[in-house]
Amino acid sequence: VILNSPNNPTGAVVDPEELTRLLDWCDGRGVWLIYDETYDRFLYDGRLHASAAARLLAGERVVVTGAASKTYAMTGWRLGWALGPPALIRAMASYQSHTTSNASSISQAAALKALTALDSAAASVADMLAHYESRRHVIVEGLRAIRGVRCGMPEGAFYAFADVSELYGRKGVTGSAAFCDRLLSEAHVAAVPGDAFGDDACARFSFATDPARITEAVRRIAAWAVA
Ligand SMILES: Cc1ncc(COP(=O)(O)O)c(C=O)c1O
């Protein structure tokens, strides 16, 4: 089972009881859980992250993955990690060293600093989260105000995954890829087609950018939707 919480693209968050049920289900059947906790610091409304690390330490078939990309704004530095049973991690390291070789020493040094300078990293994460919290409202409320767009409030991560399918007929497109193509070429707003995530009714909008850009993007989408 592969699970990602907080989730890209929906922003959904698995609560602790649900995670326990999932882990019990996997444990009872000898199934591995690969749990991607990359967005573990990006939670809103006081939600807490449910980690599978304790069950991994208890010897269960669990792999926890994470990355420096989001928490430490290190997208492009190509540095992530996996925690798992030693024998599995050894096999993963052997495989990786013959395929992608290694993460660059520069990225490793930067990530080491981020992961060990706990106080300054925590302060910058808290500051970033406060900004994302207000941007989340700007984008979701902006999208909801557009007729034909429906959007849930993300509980975590930094994406709004909106159902835009009511606009397909109006814009003469048949799916999310064509929708995002047209939105990019005509309104100059970039979104990721939902079909890449298994839901062709939706498009993913990132709010990891400054509020003025978000406001402008929403204005353009709204104008384009009725053009
Ligand atoms: C669910 C999830 N896991 C991991 C990552 C980290 O990817 P990378 O470290 O390659 O930037 C991302 C980035 O988009 C993600 O959305």
Side-chain angles (χ1 to χ4, degrees):
V1 173
I2 300 175
L3 182 67
N4 163 228
S5 175
N7 184 264
N8 169 13
T10 63
V13 170
V14 172
D15 62 44
E17 297 74 34
E18 199 175 354
L19 181 64
T20 300
R21 280 199 302 277
L22 268 159
L23 283 159
D24 290 347
W25 186 92
C26 290
D27 194 39
R29 287 164 182 77
V31 169
W32 285 86
L33 176 71
I34 300 174
Y35 190 34
D36 182 339
E37 305 189 15
T38 291
Y39 296 92
D40 61 350
R41 309 293 178 87
F42 295 90
L43 288 153
Y44 307 108
D45 304 323
R47 283 190 177 76
L48 295 175
H49 175 63
S51 175
R55 299 282 289 258
L56 158 62
L57 291 174
E60 293 181 24
R61 291 178 178 80
V62 174
V63 178
V64 169
T65 66
S69 311
K70 317 296 168 187
T71 310
Y72 306 114
M74 284 173 61
T75 301
W77 291 66
R78 319 311 310 147
L79 202 293
W81 47 83
L83 290 80
L88 179 70
I89 297 293
R90 270 196 300 276
M92 288 166 66
S94 303
Y95 178 75
Q96 190 200 21
S97 71
H98 292 284
T99 49
T100 63
S101 63
N102 300 292
S104 81
S105 56
I106 299 165
S107 297
Q108 290 187 49
L112 184 64
K113 187 77 185 165
L115 289 164
T116 51
L118 292 180
D119 290 344
S120 60
S124 63
V125 167
D127 182 54
M128 187 161 62
L129 197 58
H131 285 100
Y132 285 6
E133 163 69 55
S134 66
R135 294 170 194 184
R136 178 177 71 127
H137 286 281
V138 173
I139 195 157
V140 170
E141 279 145 33
L143 288 169
R144 283 177 177 170
I146 302 170
R147 197 164 62 86
V149 177
R150 288 181 298 138
C151 189
M153 186 61 80
E155 301 171 319
F158 42 70
Y159 308 103
F161 198 53
D163 185 331
V164 291
S165 58
E166 270 185 60
L167 300 177
Y168 292 176
R170 211 189 299 164
K171 300 307 293 184
V173 297
T174 52
S176 59
F179 176 89
C180 291
D181 261 358
R182 291 269 309 277
L183 187 65
L184 181 62
S185 59
E186 294 169 18
H188 303 149
V189 174
V192 178
D195 69 350
F197 302 104
D199 190 346
D200 202 31
C202 294
R204 191 198 74 176
F205 300 88
S206 167
F207 53 91
T209 186
D210 76 86
R213 287 174 80 90
I214 296 171
T215 305
E216 174 60 13
V218 169
R219 188 196 65 73
R220 289 186 195 182
I221 301 166
W224 176 79
V226 295

